[in-house]
Amino acid sequence: MMLDGVTYVHDGAQSEVTFENSKSLLALFTKVAGEGPKVAKVEDLPGYSFNLTSYEWTGVKIIAGEGTARISITGAALNGIPVQTDTGISVGSSRADVVADDGKDVFDSNSDGVADQLALGSRVEPGTNSLSHPGSPGTSFILLVMNENTVQQIQSPSDDFSDL
């Protein structure tokens, strides 16, 4: 998994699908899983109309709208096939592995001085403004949600300039 999409490597062949192509992304994960996902309409927040659908397999959830998608990974493999970042970070990786891979602190939810969320592969997004660092441009990144010192969830793409 990369910031812009996923790469699937099997039997020497490689295919890449961007998050902008949700139909191809869903087809790829259906192929890898060997079965279709559990599908559900995502409930809109009061006052908003996102028109999003959730597609879920064991350990993988894709939220897709009109053409674009975001992915959340809570398992290290799907149907026995490893699911990881392009640098090898997966659910179950250690904080030390993430930091060695240039992971950066994003958020410390309980103010204990240890970040509960880390970012990989940060990229400045021109024309955006960071909500967490006012006055700075926004960034996109792969978000790693930690449980103590272990990766519990991977989300991509994530950013610091949108609030929903």
Side-chain angles (χ1 to χ4, degrees), residues 106-117:
V106 173
F107 185 66
D108 177 5
S109 64
N110 58 6
S111 301
D112 66 355
V114 179
D116 304 297
Q117 297 178 359

Side-chain angles (χ1 to χ4, degrees), residues 29-113:
F29 274 89
T30 297
K31 176 183 172 183
V32 171
E35 64 184 6
K38 178 182 168 189
V39 180
K41 171 91 171 97
V42 175
E43 258 186 68
D44 289 327
L45 297 171
Y48 292 89
S49 179
F50 297 117
N51 195 26
L52 298 174
T53 303
S54 168
Y55 302 86
E56 190 168 357
W57 298 266
T58 302
V60 175
K61 181 187 274 188
I62 296 174
I63 304 293
E66 295 179 23
T68 63
R70 292 181 186 253
I71 192 167
S72 173
I73 306 296
T74 56
L78 175 62
N79 197 23
I81 298 171
V83 180
Q84 59 191 23
T85 68
D86 58 338
T87 58
I89 300 297
S90 65
V91 170
S93 290
S94 71
R95 181 182 301 271
D97 290 339
V98 174
V99 171
D101 197 22
D102 204 28
K104 305 291 185 209
D105 291 357
V106 173
F107 185 66
D108 177 5
S109 64
N110 58 6
S111 301
D112 66 355

Side-chain angles (χ1 to χ4, degrees), residues 16 24 38 54 66 103 116 118 147 152 163:
E16 292 185 18
S24 292
K38 178 182 168 189
S54 168
E66 295 179 23
D116 304 297
L118 301 169
N147 179 3
Q152 177 180 2
D163 59 357

